Amino acid sequence: AMDPLVQAAGGAGRGGGQEGVVNGPVSEHAGEQSAVGALRRLDANKEVSSRSEEIREVIGRMRRYRGNVVVQEQAAKLLRTLVDISERNKAAVREEGGVADLVEAMRMHQDHKGLQREACGALGSLARLNEKNKQAIARDGGIQVVVAALSAPSTGALE
């Protein structure tokens, strides 16, 4: 059974052909594509300052669809946007374990330039003026993956 949030997304983005999508049963593929659509809709509705519930949803999707680079990239982009809105959102991402999930996504998808760029941006936004997040990023291996992303000729995340 598909989770209600993914089901509510209505299969957005099912056009296929997106790079990095994990091939699996049709229903699982549809669920992944729905997750991408749901993440995009959350991004479009980002004006509220504290978004703990949305942050939990995004991180949950990152965990459920670890192998789907499109979901990971959209999630990193949305987390970056949300943490730029407020300090409460920065704390919520850290408390939900989102730093480790961003680091894991970067490790799993080292050759995907878009994900590397978005995840580097999200980690940078999390670290900005926040000592607890800086410590979490260092503890979870974030410094190493950011350095690797910035120095890799295949991704060049700063380009």
Side-chain angles (χ1 to χ4, degrees):
M2 198 179 301
D3 80 42
L5 292 169
V6 173
Q7 191 172 26
R14 292 176 71 185
Q18 290 182 307
E19 179 183 333
V21 174
V22 174
N23 292 324
V26 174
S27 62
E28 184 66 16
H29 178 74
E32 290 174 356
Q33 294 305 304
S34 294
V36 171
L39 290 171
R40 287 182 178 147
R41 276 188 289 290
L42 284 172
D43 189 32
N45 185 24
K46 61 188 174 217
E47 64 279 347
V48 180
S49 63
S50 179
R51 305 293 293 266
S52 296
E53 185 62 33
E54 287 87 349
I55 289 167
R56 276 191 292 280
E57 291 174 27
V58 171
I59 292 171
R61 284 186 173 88
M62 288 184 80
R63 291 175 182 160
R64 183 170 180 191
Y65 301 109
R66 287 196 192 279
N68 185 317
V69 71
V70 177
V71 170
Q72 299 300 309
E73 181 178 353
Q74 289 296 316
K77 179 180 179 182
L78 182 52
L79 287 176
R80 180 181 187 179
T81 300
L82 290 170
V83 301
D84 283 342
I85 293 172
S86 77
E87 289 299 311
R88 286 185 293 175
N89 291 347
K90 286 182 180 182
V93 170
R94 182 188 67 251
E95 291 163 4
E96 291 294 327
V99 171
D101 292 311
L102 286 164
V103 170
E104 180 64 18
M106 291 181 74
R107 285 187 180 131
M108 286 185 69
H109 305 286
Q110 294 176 13
D111 294 331
H112 193 276
K113 185 176 183 174
L115 168 66
Q116 296 296 315
R117 180 177 43 250
E118 295 297 342
C120 280
L123 290 171
S125 291
L126 282 162
R128 192 170 301 116
L129 303 174
N130 190 304
E131 289 303 314
K132 287 183 180 180
N133 284 355
K134 288 176 186 177
Q135 292 169 5
I137 291 166
R139 181 191 63 239
D140 292 340
I143 295 169
Q144 295 86 345
V145 295
V146 168
V147 169
L150 297 176
S151 60
S154 63
T155 57
L158 279 182
E159 292 177 1

